[in-house]
Each structure stands twice: as structure tokens, then as C-alpha cells.
């Protein structure tokens, strides 16, 4: 699975929301937004650093919120058909229907399949797992004069199989190494807003989410079974204080997550219930200055009382320049096995030292943005820097021995410094050019002292270019990514033929796409990894997958080579 990194840290430290509801946590965080088809998404909002206290205490490096397509403003019918040279076929169908002046409904469906196996590096293992995925989402919307409500239900079934080329499943394959990962998930959500007093800006809102998720993962001789039942509710009251420059949002929340994990001969049942109260004050309207100060207090049945303060400020230096600053504290409960599922695809022995506690981190940072226009041309410059320091952390140590993965509580420093510069240029409303450079310094105190976190590139670069004609009838997009060197886990104790270099090489990845728009139809053709760059040695000891040196978890670059794809989008308004 391709995973997100923010501020140099793994996706588990970023709070993932769907329509401002934390619905991708626990065992679902492994695949995250891969469970949400792109054709279902209306927009994505990304905030770096500490996020609002309204959604909980989990966000540490930032927050990513996905807004889904709404039935009241979507096309009546949408069809997307996709196919690529790897053999993946995908179909997405969305239908929306207004029922009357107040009610509307929508069904979003997705199906994808990949049955072809590829072994381009000739190591005897499939480069990508074959998979079958089906998901459907039905949502309803009510738009009244004082009451506005939306609710819906979604279902997901995802199965993936990989391993040696001849592996066809544990039921039929003997003495072959393989893996299967099966996810099933059903969820229900609801959001209702009551407009109490428009003159005073008083509103009452309720958010609700519940889901059941099962995970069945088998890697060689190892098995990991997990299930998670989640309930989340958030009640918010918003009003003005004195005038529209002062706003206050207060509320209470409740979250319950029951997780069962079975690994080898042990079973672990965890019930975490969190009851919280929060308040957030917003001041705006004073010479371009905005202040958002929030605090929440939660009672966790496992870890006791948790206090979360957060502060955000925005300054408009002039009409085209603004500065943003944020600071705060974040917490999260680690799910050791589910969050490190890839380690099971190796011969490493899982060792846990001490008790697994809650993680806690401070984050402080900010950004400067400047805009400039001349004629039909626009330039935007953004500079940002964030520092994350862990006060409590569950450390994953892969350096003690290449045959072990050791987990223990942090004893020393652990931090991330992340800085980025981003320049965007728009010429005559037809050519857009962007360039970005990011520097990450991510270090943790391990048993052998301070060291860089493995598989995190210190330098990353991005170059984007888009050309589009009038009315965007033709559109050409190109993206060039630069990935710098990253430290690899220590394998010096292995026999020489099973040792890796200390760091991965730097490399480039190039993507491109051309789109032709007609009245109701879009046709697109594109290619990923056009330079055909791949990680040559993906697996250590592929000839002896049940032996002591086998490891397929050290992945730092693309595994599959150049891929060409084509598709069409049909919209009926």
C-alpha cells in the first residue's frame, strides 16, 4: 500500500477525516484513503501542524479531510472506466437524484480488479499483489429552513494476494510463500445541524459515525486476525460573542473503539472509551489578524485524563502577504501490529519490551504566503517550517538485529524538523508551473543512540507543469518527483549476500497525462513512472522465504516499472 507521510512522519500521526469525522483509525489506517475512490471525492483539505480541537486530540503532524460528492449538487449520472498496462480494470458509477425541494439521494459505487501477475525483477515473487475491491456508498441529504441533515451507509470488501508467482492461496499452494490480506468494512454516518438564532449566529450540530471492520492477514506461516467496532459522536454549539468578530464553539464528544487482535498464539482485546469536552474561541476582523484558541479535556478509560491546548494565529502583513503560526499538543493510542503489518512479510521476530503506552508530541510551526499578479499572470510563494518533538513514543527498532523488530518506549529525544518552499506560477490562464523543495530531518533515540529514522528521505523535490486550452478542452499535466537518499535498516549482521547498503540511492519519477474534454465526455491517456525506475532488490533472501534472512518490508522506491493507462469519464448533468 502506498502511504502518506506528513512532516517526515508516517501517516499514523496525521488525523484522517471524511467530512470532518475521524473515520479512518485503528486497523483502517493502514490503507487510509486508498479505501476511498478518487471519483467519490469532491475536495481535499490539508492542514499542517496542529489542527483544531473540535475533532479530537489525535492530530500531531496535521489533518487531511476529504469532502465527498453531495447529492444536491452532483451530476445525475457519472461513469468512469479505467484500464492500464498492468492489467488493472476499474469502474466507478455515481448517480444522484433530487426527490423534492428538501430531499435528495446519491449512490456511489466502485469496483476494481487486477488478476495479472508480474515479475519484472525476476526474483520469483509477484511485483504487485492481485486484488479485487468492491465498495458502495449511499447517502441522503435533507435541506430545510432550520434543519439540515445528511446521513448514509457504506460497504467495502477488499482482498489482496501476493507472494511467489505460483502461489494461488493457502488452500491450494503447498510449500510456497504467499500472503493474503482481506478487509471488510461497513459504516454508517450522520450529520444534523439545527439553526437556532441566525441573528446571534447560534447553531447546534451533531456528528455521528459507527463502523465494523474485520482484517484477515496471513503472511507465510504467520497469521494476524483483527476486528474493530467503532462509535463516534460529537455535539457542537456555535454562537457569537458581542459581535461577529468573536465566535465560540463548544461541545462534548464520545468515542469507543473495541479492537480484537489475534497474532500467533496470543489474543489481545482492547476497549478504549474517550469522553471529552472542548471549547474553541475565534477572534477576527482586526487589521487582518485572526486568532483561534482551543482547549479540550478528555477522560480515557486506559490512560486517564488528557488535556489538549492548541493555538493558531494568522497575520495579514499587507494585502498580498500573510503569516500563519500554530502550536499545540497531540496524543494517540498506537496499534502495534495493525500499524506495522508489513513487518509480518519477513522472518523478523516481533519483540515488545515493557508496556505500550499513549504517544504524546508537541508541534510548533508556521508559514508565509505571498501573492503577486501582473496582467493575466499570477505568482504564489509559500514557505513553511514545522518542528515536532515527541514526549512519549512507541519506538520501532529494526537495527538491533535484522532478524528482529523490537518495540519499546522512547528513552531520549525523538523529533522531526520539516521545511518546505513552494512556488506556483500561472501564465495567461493557460499554463501553470509549480516547483517545491522539502527538507526533512527525522531522528529518534534508539538502543544504539540517535539516528535518522529509516526509509525517510531528507530531500524531496516536486516539479509540476499543466497546459490547458480555452474551456479546458485539451489539458496536459506532467509531474516530476525527486526522492533523495534515505537510511536503510542495519543488515550488517546478515551473511554478505543478504546485506543491504546503508542508504538508498536518490531517484526521479515522472508522470504525465493528456485529457480531451467533450460536452459530456472526457477521454484521458497517461503514464506513471515514465522513466521506468525501479528498486532492483526488493526482497532479501527470496530463494529461501521461510529461512531466517527473508525480508520483503524494506521498500524505498517503485517496485513496478512504467505503466500506461487510459480511461473515460461520462457526465450527464
Amino acid at each position: 500500500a502506498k502511504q502518506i507521510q506528513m512532516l517526515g512522519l508516517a501517516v499514523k500521526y496525521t488525523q484522517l477525516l471524511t467530512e470532518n469525522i475521524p473515520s479512518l483509525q485503528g486497523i483502517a489506517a493502514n490503507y487510509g484513503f486508498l479505501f476511498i475512490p478518487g471519483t467519490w471525492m469532491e475536495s481535499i483539505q490539508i492542514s499542517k501542524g496542529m489542527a483544531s480541537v473540535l475533532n479530537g486530540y489525535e492530530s500531531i503532524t496535521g489533518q487531511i479531510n476529504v469532502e465527498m460528492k453531495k447529492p444536491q449538487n452532483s451530476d445525475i449520472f457519472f461513469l468512469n472506466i479505467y484500464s492500464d498496462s498492468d492489467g488493472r480494470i476499474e469502474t466507478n458509477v455515481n448517480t444522484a437524484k433530487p426527490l423534492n425541494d428538501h430531499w435528495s439521494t446519491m449512490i456511489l459505487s466502485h469496483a476494481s480488479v487486477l488478476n495479472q501477475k508480474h515479475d519484472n525483477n525476476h526474483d520469483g515473487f509477484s511485483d504487485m499483489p492481485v486484488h479485487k475491491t468492491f465498495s458502495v456508498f449511499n447517502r441522503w441529504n435533507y435541506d430545510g429552513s432550520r434543519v439540515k441533515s445528511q446521513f448514509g451507509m457504506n460497504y467495502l470488501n477488499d482482498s489482496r494476494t501476493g507472494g511467489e508467482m505460483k502461489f494461488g492461496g493457502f488452500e491450494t499452494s503447498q510449500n510456497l510463500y504467499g500472503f493474503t490480506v482481506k478487509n471488510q468494512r461497513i459504516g454508517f454516518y450522520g450529520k444534523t445541524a439545527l439553526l437556532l438564532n441566525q441573528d446571534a449566529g447560534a447553531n447546534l450540530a451533531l456528528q455521528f459515525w459507527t463502523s465494523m471492520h474485520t482484517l484477515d492477514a496471513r503472511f507465510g506461516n504467520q497469521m494476524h486476525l483483527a476486528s474493530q467496532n467503532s462509535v463516534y459522536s460529537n455535539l457542537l454549539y456555535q454562537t457569537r460573542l458581542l459581535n461577529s468578530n468573536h465566535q465560540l464553539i463548544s461541545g462534548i464528544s464520545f468515542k469507543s473503539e473495541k479492537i480484537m487482535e489475534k497474532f500467533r498464539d496470543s489474543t489481545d482485546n482492547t476497549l478504549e472509551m474517550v469522553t471529552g469536552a472542548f471549547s474553541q474561541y475565534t477572534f477576527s476582523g482586526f487589521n487582518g489578524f485572526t486568532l483561534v484558541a482551543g482547549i479540550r479535556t478528555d477522560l480515557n478509560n486506559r490512560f486517564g485524563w488528557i488535556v489538549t491546548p492548541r493555538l493558531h494565529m494568522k497575520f495579514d502583513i499587507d494585502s498580498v502577504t500573510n503569516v500563519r503560526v500554530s502550536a499545540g499538543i497531540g496524543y494517540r493510542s498506537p496499534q502495534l501490529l495493525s500499524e506495522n503489518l508489513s513487518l509480518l512479510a519477513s522472518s523478523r521476530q516481533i519483540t515488545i519490551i515493557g508496556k505500550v503506552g499513549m504517544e504524546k508530541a508537541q508541534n510548533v510551526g508556521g508559514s508565509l504566503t505571498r501573492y503577486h499578479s501582473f496582467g493575466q499572470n499570477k505568482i504564489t510563494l509559500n514557505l513553511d517550517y514545522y518542528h515536532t518533538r515527541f514526549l512519549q513514543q512507541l519506538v520501532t527498532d529494526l537495527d538491533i538485529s535484522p532478524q528482529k523488530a523490537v518495540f519499546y518506549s522512547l528513552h531520549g529525544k525523538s523529533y522531526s524538523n520539516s521545511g518546505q518552499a513552494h512556488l506556483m506560477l500561472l501564465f495567461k490562464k493557460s499554463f501553470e508551473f509549480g516547483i517545491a523543495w522539502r527538507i526533512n530531518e527525522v531522528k529518534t533515540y534508539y538502543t544504539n543512540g540517535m539516528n535518522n529514522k529509516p526509509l525517510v528521505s531528507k530531500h524531496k523535490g516536486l516539479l509540476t507543469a499543466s497546459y490547458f486550452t480555452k474551456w479546458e478542452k485539451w489539458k496536459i499535466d506532467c509531474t516530476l518527483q525527486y526522492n533523495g537518499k534515505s537510511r536503510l535498516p542495519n543488515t550488517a549482521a546478515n551473511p554478505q549476500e543478504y546485506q543491504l547498503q546503508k542508504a538508498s540511492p536518490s531517484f526521479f519519477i515522472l508522470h504525465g497525462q493528456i485529457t480531451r474534454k467533450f460536452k459530456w465526455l472526457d477521454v484521458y491517456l497517461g503514464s506513471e513512472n515514465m522513466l521506468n525506475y525501479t528498486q532492483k532488490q526488493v526482497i532479501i533472501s527470496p530463494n529461501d522465504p521461510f529461512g531466517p534472512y527473508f525480508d520483503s518490508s524494506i521498500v524505498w522506491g517503485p517496485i513496478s516499472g512504467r505503466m500506461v493507462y487510459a480511461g473515460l469519464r461520462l457526465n450527464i448533468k
Side-chain angles (χ1 to χ4, degrees):
K2 296 180 181 179
Q3 294 193 342
I4 299 169
Q5 283 187 358
M6 184 174 285
L7 306 186
L9 294 171
V11 65
K12 60 186 178 182
Y13 297 111
T14 303
Q15 190 176 33
L16 307 181
L17 308 175
T18 52
E19 303 199 341
N20 287 311
I21 295 177
S23 57
L24 295 170
Q25 296 179 318
I27 64 177
N30 253 330
Y31 291 92
F33 291 131
L34 290 179
F35 283 159
I36 304 178
T39 55
W40 294 10
M41 298 181 184
E42 180 182 79
S43 63
I44 301 176
Q45 294 92 40
I46 300 175
S47 61
K48 292 183 179 181
M50 286 297 169
S52 168
V53 297
L54 305 182
N55 305 116
Y57 52 67
E58 283 87 359
S59 69
I60 290 177
T61 58
Q63 190 179 80
I64 302 177
N65 177 54
V66 170
E67 287 293 325
M68 312 286 275
K69 290 182 177 179
K70 313 293 193 299
Q72 65 271 27
N73 53 23
S74 293
D75 297 335
I76 295 176
F77 180 81
F78 171 83
L79 170 68
N80 170 240
I81 298 176
Y82 166 97
S83 179
D84 63 39
S85 57
D86 288 335
R88 175 186 169 99
I89 300 174
E90 179 178 319
T91 303
N92 300 276
V93 179
N94 302 342
T95 60
K97 182 174 178 59
L99 302 178
N100 52 44
D101 292 340
H102 300 294
W103 285 95
S104 57
T105 186
M106 187 174 191
I107 296 177
L108 305 99
S109 62
H110 165 88
S112 64
V113 62
L114 173 62
N115 286 325
Q116 295 183 22
K117 294 183 179 182
H118 303 274
D119 183 18
N120 294 323
N121 59 2
H122 308 292
D123 61 2
F125 280 72
S126 176
D127 295 335
M128 296 179 295
V130 296
H131 76 267
K132 293 180 180 179
T133 303
F134 172 76
S135 56
V136 62
F137 180 28
N138 178 219
R139 63 182 308 167
W140 294 76
N141 185 79
Y142 175 80
D143 190 1
S145 58
R146 293 192 61 190
V147 177
K148 300 182 183 299
S149 181
Q150 52 182 289
F151 57 89
M153 182 173 67
N154 72 283
Y155 171 76
L156 165 80
N157 189 306
D158 178 86
S159 62
R160 299 166 188 262
T161 301
E164 294 189 76
M165 289 292 289
K166 295 182 180 180
F167 178 79
F170 291 102
E171 296 81 6
T172 59
S173 301
Q174 300 292 329
N175 302 319
L176 294 173
Y177 186 93
F179 79 85
T180 59
V181 177
K182 298 178 182 179
N183 283 280
Q184 267 199 97
R185 178 179 173 91
I186 186 169
F188 176 83
Y189 90 102
K191 298 168 69 175
T192 300
L194 178 62
L195 309 181
L196 300 176
N197 187 334
Q198 294 187 5
D199 294 332
N203 303 310
L204 188 67
L206 175 66
Q207 300 172 324
F208 177 80
W209 165 262
T210 182
S211 66
M212 293 180 291
H213 189 142
T214 59
L215 169 68
D216 184 336
R218 301 167 190 264
F219 296 85
N221 295 326
Q222 302 190 95
M223 177 180 65
H224 176 237
L225 304 177
S227 65
Q228 176 176 331
N229 297 329
S230 301
V231 175
Y232 170 84
S233 61
N234 202 21
L235 181 65
L236 306 96
Y237 174 74
Q238 177 178 342
T239 187
R240 296 173 188 161
L241 301 175
L242 300 177
N243 55 50
S244 59
N245 294 339
H246 306 268
Q247 292 191 352
L248 182 69
I249 301 178
S250 299
I252 55 176
S253 64
F254 173 76
K255 182 182 76 171
S256 172
E257 288 187 348
K258 184 178 181 181
I259 298 178
M260 183 281 293
E261 290 186 291
K262 184 177 181 181
F263 178 61
R264 294 176 181 162
D265 297 327
S266 63
T267 301
D268 184 27
N269 293 293
T270 302
L271 175 62
E272 182 170 288
M273 294 187 295
V274 183
T275 304
F278 54 87
S279 188
Q280 179 173 283
Y281 165 73
T282 302
F283 170 76
S284 60
F286 178 73
N287 293 333
F289 173 71
T290 303
L291 180 144
V292 180
I295 190 169
R296 64 177 297 133
T297 301
D298 295 89
L299 178 60
N300 186 304
N301 68 313
R302 298 176 61 201
F303 303 108
W305 288 99
I306 300 170
V307 178
T308 310
R310 292 179 182 176
L311 178 68
H312 301 79
M313 292 184 289
K314 176 177 174 286
F315 309 86
D316 288 341
I317 298 177
D318 53 39
S319 60
V320 295
T321 310
N322 65 64
V323 175
R324 301 173 187 268
V325 179
S326 67
I329 298 176
Y331 304 81
R332 64 177 301 274
S333 303
Q335 301 296 328
L336 189 151
L337 288 175
S338 298
E339 294 170 356
N340 296 278
L341 204 61
S342 63
L343 294 178
L344 301 186
S346 71
S347 295
R348 291 181 182 267
Q349 296 298 311
I350 305 295
T351 302
I352 304 171
I353 300 176
K355 185 178 180 181
V356 177
M358 175 166 275
E359 295 186 302
K360 177 181 179 181
Q362 300 171 334
N363 184 288
V364 60
S367 65
L368 181 147
T369 304
R370 182 171 175 82
Y371 310 89
H372 185 64
S373 299
F374 50 99
Q376 292 183 314
N377 307 315
K378 296 181 180 180
I379 298 178
T380 304
L381 174 65
N382 181 268
L383 304 173
D384 66 53
Y385 173 82
Y386 290 89
H387 172 75
T388 307
R389 180 175 293 273
F390 285 91
L391 307 177
Q392 300 165 198
Q393 186 182 22
L394 178 64
V395 177
T396 304
D397 195 333
L398 304 179
D399 297 314
I400 293 178
S401 169
Q403 281 77 56
K404 292 182 179 180
V406 183
F407 296 86
Y408 50 82
S409 296
L410 176 67
H411 297 286
K413 294 182 178 180
S414 180
Y415 64 87
S416 167
N417 294 319
S418 181
Q420 178 173 295
H422 185 201
L423 180 68
M424 287 292 297
L425 301 95
L426 177 64
F427 296 105
K428 297 183 179 180
K429 298 182 180 180
S430 61
F431 180 73
E432 192 174 58
F433 176 81
I435 183 170
W437 192 266
R438 182 167 69 242
I439 300 177
N440 291 323
E441 182 190 30
V442 186
K443 291 192 173 184
T444 300
Y445 187 86
Y446 297 97
T447 302
N448 59 356
M450 289 294 293
N451 206 345
N452 292 319
K453 188 175 179 63
L455 302 177
V456 176
S457 298
K458 184 175 182 179
H459 295 277
K460 281 183 174 288
L462 181 69
L463 188 67
T464 62
S466 297
Y467 172 77
F468 34 92
T469 60
K470 190 176 182 180
W471 313 116
E472 293 193 6
K473 286 187 176 181
W474 286 95
K475 187 175 182 181
I476 302 174
D477 298 285
C478 290
T479 302
L480 179 66
Q481 301 174 5
Y482 170 77
N483 294 269
K485 296 180 180 180
S486 62
R487 185 179 77 84
L488 301 182
N490 188 358
T491 56
N494 278 346
Q496 187 172 0
E497 63 270 28
Y498 300 138
Q499 294 179 14
L500 299 177
Q501 296 179 345
K502 293 183 178 180
S504 67
S506 57
F507 60 94
F508 290 91
I509 301 178
L510 177 64
H511 306 309
Q513 178 174 303
I514 182 170
T515 305
R516 176 65 166 97
K517 289 179 177 288
F518 299 93
K519 185 176 181 180
W520 289 341
L521 182 69
D522 296 352
V523 180
Y524 57 90
L525 173 69
S527 178
E528 293 186 1
N529 194 7
M530 296 169 67
L531 302 177
N532 201 31
Y533 183 87
T534 57
Q535 178 179 337
K536 301 305 178 185
Q537 183 182 3
V538 181
I539 301 176
I540 300 176
S541 184
N543 57 319
D544 187 15
F546 295 98
Y549 307 113
F550 176 78
D551 195 340
S552 66
S553 66
I554 305 177
V555 179
W556 48 262
I559 296 176
S560 56
R562 184 184 300 111
M563 182 267 285
V564 178
Y565 63 88
L568 60 87
R569 294 185 289 261
L570 174 66
N571 295 74
I572 300 178
K573 300 184 182 296

